Amino acid sequence: MFRTIIIGSIALCLAFCSSSTSADAWPLMPVGSSQDWALPTTVVIIDAGHGGIDGGASAADILEKDINLAVARKLYTILRSQNIPAVLNRNGDYALSDDNRWHLTRSRHRKDLSQRRQLTEEIDSELLISLHVNWSKKSTERGPLVLHQSSGESSLLAFCIQDALNRQQHTAFLPREGKPFYLLKRVADPAVIVEMGFISSAADRSMLTDPVRQQEVAEAIASGIRQYKWIVH
């Protein structure tokens, strides 16, 4: 939990820092002020799926966790450059379950998920964007899919991101409700799971592992977030 709080604190964009030297700089909390112990705030929490011992889906030596983190970092930088405060829940290859000392369960998977949810309660935020990569036995299956909660705001957010990804990847899919997913059931804020493509598809895999194409994916997700904010605000 301590790493989660630290990452949330140092990754603030606008709450306590008015400017930074570059888009990649990590702004710091002010020292010696009355706000030293205030809970951080942000607009978007970016959940980089998997990490550490949990590699997620794979194809040969290509792991989902690495793709998720690469796109998450790019999305973070884009949102900051557009004055949309964002927080990354991990900025390296480690399992969030390792930080969880409060959930008394033997299941590493449950600890990982509950630790991700906990961040949304520790940081005052508006949205949760959880980044993942899909997998299928059918190598021909490809394209993005955005899963949402039952609430209208979550489904609207999913539609906006799905539309942007469809245009980026030349597809025409519709978002779906992700009823069985823990984060979508337990997070109070509007939340979506973004399956950016299929690691089992050669075409998608090429896109997901290319830094230039990863940037395009991140820009599409950011575009969907901006569209959502424009509609609701």
Side-chain angles (χ1 to χ4, degrees):
M1 181 181 296
F2 293 119
R3 181 188 291 157
T4 304
I5 296 173
I6 292 171
I7 292 174
S9 297
I10 67 174
L12 298 182
C13 296
L14 293 181
F16 302 106
C17 297
S18 58
S19 63
S20 59
T21 56
S22 72
D24 295 320
W26 298 90
L28 301 176
M29 292 281 284
V31 177
S33 73
S34 61
Q35 295 177 323
D36 282 353
W37 295 100
L39 289 177
T41 62
T42 190
V43 171
V44 181
I45 294 178
I46 304 170
D47 172 43
H50 305 284
I53 192 173
D54 180 7
S58 64
D61 60 344
I62 300 172
L63 300 177
E64 176 187 355
K65 66 175 183 178
D66 298 325
I67 296 172
N68 296 341
L69 181 58
V71 177
R73 285 171 169 167
K74 290 176 171 59
L75 177 59
Y76 172 84
T77 301
I78 293 169
L79 292 177
R80 284 196 58 196
S81 70
Q82 297 171 350
N83 293 322
I84 300 176
V87 167
L88 274 171
N89 65 358
R90 69 177 177 96
N91 192 38
D93 182 19
Y94 49 82
L96 294 183
S97 58
D98 294 341
D99 291 333
N100 193 326
R101 300 291 185 271
W102 54 272
H103 190 168
L104 300 180
T105 175
R106 294 182 178 180
S107 171
R108 181 203 55 77
H109 182 61
R110 290 182 181 178
K111 282 189 173 184
D112 179 88
L113 291 173
S114 60
Q115 187 71 4
R116 294 173 192 273
R117 175 188 58 80
Q118 182 68 15
L119 179 60
T120 67
E121 298 183 356
E122 293 175 351
I123 296 179
D124 183 15
S125 58
E126 296 181 18
L127 307 172
L128 173 70
I129 309 295
S130 184
L131 300 181
H132 288 268
V133 171
N134 224 331
W135 184 90
S136 173
K137 291 181 179 180
K138 299 179 181 179
S139 60
T140 55
E141 193 164 1
R142 60 170 296 270
L145 174 64
V146 184
L147 303 169
H148 59 82
Q149 300 159 307
S150 58
S151 72
E153 287 192 355
S154 174
S155 58
L156 174 60
L157 175 62
F159 179 85
C160 291
I161 296 176
Q162 182 77 62
D163 178 64
L165 286 171
N166 280 340
R167 286 185 278 109
Q168 179 253 328
Q169 298 185 32
H170 307 291
T171 52
F173 299 112
L174 293 174
R176 302 176 190 171
E177 184 176 352
K179 291 183 178 181
F181 292 93
Y182 176 90
L183 285 180
L184 298 182
K185 290 191 296 182
R186 299 296 298 273
V187 171
D189 295 331
V192 294
I193 294 175
V194 181
E195 300 281 2
M196 299 176 285
F198 282 80
I199 199 171
S200 49
S201 159
D204 279 5
R205 190 164 60 248
S206 175
M207 172 191 66
L208 294 167
T209 54
D210 181 347
V212 174
R213 302 297 304 281
Q214 288 175 348
Q215 181 72 18
E216 294 175 358
V217 173
E219 288 174 352
I221 296 171
S223 175
I225 293 171
R226 290 197 311 273
Q227 178 72 5
Y228 167 83
K229 285 180 62 61
W230 181 82
I231 293 172
V232 300
H233 298 296

